[in-house]
């Protein structure tokens, strides 16, 4: 299936909320092992929160190799591709690095203790 | 916020962009940091105000009002050239002064309580970059706007500013430089980092240094997607393009340019976050991401 990003978020793909809109469209088919094309024709400005929301959180419970195989980015600028690469690397670290996870879990448990 | 009202007058000094100028601004914040204050800003001792001061004073006035007080700017005490510059920015107009705004070399004063992405991108591309001072392609203008957006995204996501985010810019023809200051009056970067790492005694400069590293974010995993690369991208951008980035938050300070990264613990405290980005108005300094990659590989 193809998803035209500009139809959902306009020409500025920069916010986490917009990224979430895309995530909600692509997560179900990817989870069902179906290929998805994200078409960025008409999108001009990119920023990392958008890709964190759209792509980064996929890694929370999908295998990244599978996401790489199934998810295709087309008409994406070099800057957009650079951001996607950074977001992917960051998400891998975020969801798999034990140090980061330990710090997060500690903060969360302490927050819970205080409520 | 009920209680006794108190009237105070503050004398706004000349504000440039040296560290002592920021100390002067933060002293104004400290002096007016309370509820129910009726504050009068007198400019009779002020001979120049940079965009950092304009953004800061506007935010301070909104903060005072949000705490049950009032802020009154005595624009008639301003020297004509300083007042003209403020009019160019639309600053007096934002506080009720009636005038036809004109542009000059100023970039409009702006307040954003919510994340209006299309308006802000139009501001960055059209009113900040797009006035012909930096001759870059549309593709590169989009990259720059996206990169500077990271400052706003960070402030909206983490700042918890009660009055939103204030911006003001200026083109300095003598140095061919374009500046933009973005300030919020929220909890500050060190507060978020200390809370996240459960390290209440972490020095402010170390906290800012931590926040600037790629992949470090103060957002809990339960709050949704990962984050934490925006400030790193910004740092990379100013280094490549001969600009600078300066951040004040609490008593922490960061200065980054292509040659150095300086983190300092300072004496003057300001609870929010003030960020200034400076760009050179010479297209020779600018590279698209694809061009940077080629240069790195060759």
């Amino acid at each position: 299936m193809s998803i035209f990003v500009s139809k959902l978020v306009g020409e500025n793909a920069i916010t986490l909320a917009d990224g979430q809109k895309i995530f909600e469209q692509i997560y179900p088919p990817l989870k069902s092992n179906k290929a998805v094309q994200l078409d960025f024709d008409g999108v001009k400005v990119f920023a990392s929160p958008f890709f964190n929301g759209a792509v980064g959180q996929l890694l929370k419970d999908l295998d990244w190799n599978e996401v790489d195989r199934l998810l295709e980015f087309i008409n994406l600028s070099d800057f957009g591709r650079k951001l996607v690469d950074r977001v992917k690397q960051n998400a891998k670290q975020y969801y798999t690095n034990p140090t980061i996870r330990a710090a997060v879990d500690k903060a969360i448990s302490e927050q819970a203790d205080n409520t | 916020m009920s209680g006794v009202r108190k009237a105070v007058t503050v004398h706004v000094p000349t504000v440039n962009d040296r560290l002592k100028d920021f100390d002067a601004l933060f002293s104004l914040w400290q002096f007016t940091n309370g509820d129910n204050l009726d504050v009068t800003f007198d400019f009779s001792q002020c001979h120049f105000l940079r965009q950092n001061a304009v953004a800061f004073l506007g935010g301070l006035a909104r903060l005072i009002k949000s705490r049950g007080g009032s802020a009154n700017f005595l624009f008639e005490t301003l020297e004509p050239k300083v007042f003209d510059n403020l009019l160019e920015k639309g600053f007096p107009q934002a506080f009720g002064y009636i005038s036809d705004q004109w542009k000059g070399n100023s970039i409009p004063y702006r307040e954003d309580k919510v994340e209006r992405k299309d308006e802000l991108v139009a501001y960055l591309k059209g009113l900040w970059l797009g006035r012909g001072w930096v001759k870059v392609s549309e593709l590169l203008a989009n990259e720059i706007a996206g990169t500077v957006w990271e400052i706003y995204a960070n402030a909206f996501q983490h700042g918890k500013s009660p009055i939103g985010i204030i911006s003001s810019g200026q083109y300095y023809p003598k140095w061919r430089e374009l500046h933009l200051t973005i300030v919020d009056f929220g909890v500050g970067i060190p507060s978020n980092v200390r809370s996240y790492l459960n390290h209440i005694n972490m020095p402010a400069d170390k906290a800012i240094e931590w926040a600037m590293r790629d992949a470090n974010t103060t957002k809990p995993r339960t709050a949704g997607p990962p984050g934490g690369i925006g400030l790193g991208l910004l740092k990379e951008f100013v280094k490549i393009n001969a600009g600078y980035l300066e951040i004040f938050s609490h008593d922490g300070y960061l200065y980054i340019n292509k040659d150095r990264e300086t983190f300092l613990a300072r004496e003057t405290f300001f609870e929010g976050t003030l960020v200034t980005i400076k760009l050179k108005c010479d297209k020779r300094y600018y590279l698209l991401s694809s061009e940077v990659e080629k240069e790195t590989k060759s």
Side-chain angles (χ1 to χ4, degrees):
Chain A
M1 67 183 283
S2 288
I3 292 168
F4 292 92
V5 175
S6 67
K7 284 190 178 168
L8 292 170
V9 308
E11 64 178 34
N12 300 312
I14 57 178
T15 69
L16 198 58
D18 284 344
Q20 182 68 28
K21 284 183 198 166
I22 302 300
F23 173 81
E24 286 165 8
Q25 296 290 315
I26 64 177
Y27 176 74
L30 291 173
K31 180 88 175 162
S32 305
N33 205 27
K34 291 178 185 160
V36 176
Q37 276 192 333
L38 269 185
D39 191 330
F40 289 88
D41 185 36
V43 181
K44 293 181 176 174
V45 182
F46 299 97
S48 68
F50 170 79
F51 288 112
N52 282 327
V55 180
Q57 62 177 328
L58 290 170
L59 198 60
K60 190 175 180 184
D61 65 351
L62 295 179
D63 178 82
W64 195 256
N65 291 327
E66 283 302 293
V67 173
D68 262 348
R69 185 175 65 83
L70 295 169
L71 181 60
E72 187 183 3
F73 301 93
I74 57 174
N75 292 316
L76 183 58
S77 69
D78 289 332
F79 183 62
R81 286 191 187 279
K82 172 181 153 180
L83 290 181
V84 169
D85 289 344
R86 291 287 177 88
V87 163
K88 280 182 188 175
Q89 286 169 12
N90 184 50
K92 282 179 191 170
Q93 195 177 353
Y94 184 72
Y95 289 122
T96 60
N97 185 310
T99 309
I100 290 179
R101 193 167 58 225
V104 173
D105 290 347
K106 186 180 170 196
I108 292 166
S109 69
E110 280 163 1
Q111 211 169 20
D113 290 344
N114 292 332
T115 52
Chain B
M1 267 181 281
S2 61
V4 180
R5 300 193 75 82
K6 186 180 170 191
V8 295
T9 296
V10 296
H11 291 274
V12 179
T14 294
V15 182
N16 214 299
D17 63 354
R18 292 160 298 185
L19 289 178
K20 68 174 188 177
D21 296 304
F22 288 92
D23 288 340
L25 286 177
F26 301 154
S27 295
L28 296 180
W29 171 78
Q30 288 169 0
F31 190 67
T32 57
N33 191 17
D35 293 337
N36 304 315
L37 290 178
D38 294 316
V39 182
T40 298
F41 291 88
D42 183 302
F43 295 95
S44 55
Q45 295 169 17
C46 172
H47 308 294
F48 183 66
L49 286 174
R50 277 200 180 234
Q51 86 290 332
N52 51 355
V54 175
F56 192 87
L57 290 174
L60 185 57
R62 299 302 184 204
L63 184 69
I64 290 164
K65 200 174 171 194
S66 76
R67 291 172 169 175
S70 67
N72 177 31
F73 291 107
L74 298 180
F75 292 120
E76 65 274 20
T77 61
L78 275 162
E79 290 181 10
K81 64 176 178 156
V82 183
F83 185 54
D84 285 347
N85 181 262
L86 290 186
L87 282 175
E88 287 178 17
K89 287 185 166 68
F91 181 82
Q93 297 90 320
F95 292 90
Y97 188 91
I98 297 170
S99 168
D100 291 333
Q101 189 173 334
W102 51 292
K103 286 179 180 174
N105 290 325
S106 292
I107 292 104
Y109 169 85
R110 180 177 176 87
E111 300 177 0
D112 289 279
K113 282 190 177 166
V114 294
E115 196 176 59
R116 293 171 294 187
K117 64 164 188 167
D118 292 335
E119 273 189 37
L120 265 167
V121 169
Y123 175 76
L124 293 173
K125 284 172 66 177
L127 298 174
W128 186 56
L129 280 173
R131 306 267 294 278
W133 298 317
V134 194
K135 303 219 181 294
V136 293
S137 65
E138 194 197 348
L139 204 57
L140 189 46
N142 289 336
E143 279 197 25
I144 296 172
T147 306
V148 175
W149 170 261
E150 303 282 355
I151 303 173
Y152 288 96
N154 212 56
F156 280 122
Q157 196 168 356
H158 302 291
K160 305 182 187 83
S161 175
I163 51 109
I165 297 163
I166 315 290
S167 320
S168 183
Q170 183 73 36
Y171 170 61
Y172 295 96
K174 188 174 172 186
W175 301 287
R176 300 195 66 208
E177 289 176 359
L178 193 54
H179 294 206
L180 182 70
T181 294
I182 298 159
V183 61
D184 73 66
F185 287 74
V187 296
I189 295 171
S191 173
N192 280 322
V193 172
R194 286 172 187 144
S195 170
Y196 176 78
L197 296 176
N198 194 29
H199 186 344
I200 56 169
N201 295 319
M202 189 177 203
D205 56 320
K206 300 293 178 202
I208 294 173
E209 191 174 355
W210 184 90
M212 291 302 291
R213 276 188 228 135
D214 244 5
N216 282 353
T217 177
T218 56
K219 190 171 50 176
R221 193 170 41 159
T222 48
I229 61 173
L231 293 178
L233 287 163
L234 202 59
K235 180 167 80 171
E236 200 174 279
F237 173 79
V238 295
K239 279 175 173 275
I240 289 168
N241 298 311
Y244 81 60
L245 180 70
E246 193 172 40
I247 299 178
F248 294 84
S249 194
H250 289 203
D251 48 346
Y253 170 72
L254 155 71
Y255 177 93
I256 291 179
N257 68 11
K258 70 180 173 59
D259 299 317
R260 66 185 170 101
E261 290 182 27
T262 303
F263 296 89
L264 289 177
R266 306 197 65 248
E267 287 186 4
T268 315
F269 182 92
F270 160 57
E271 192 168 22
T273 302
L274 186 150
V275 181
T276 296
I277 184 167
K278 180 199 82 178
L279 301 182
K280 284 281 185 191
C281 296
D282 187 332
K283 67 179 179 184
R284 288 175 302 173
Y285 288 110
Y286 293 93
L287 292 172
L288 283 163
S289 298
S290 51
E291 295 167 328
V292 175
E293 271 179 34
K294 276 180 200 162
E295 286 210 344
T296 310
K297 284 173 186 168
S298 62

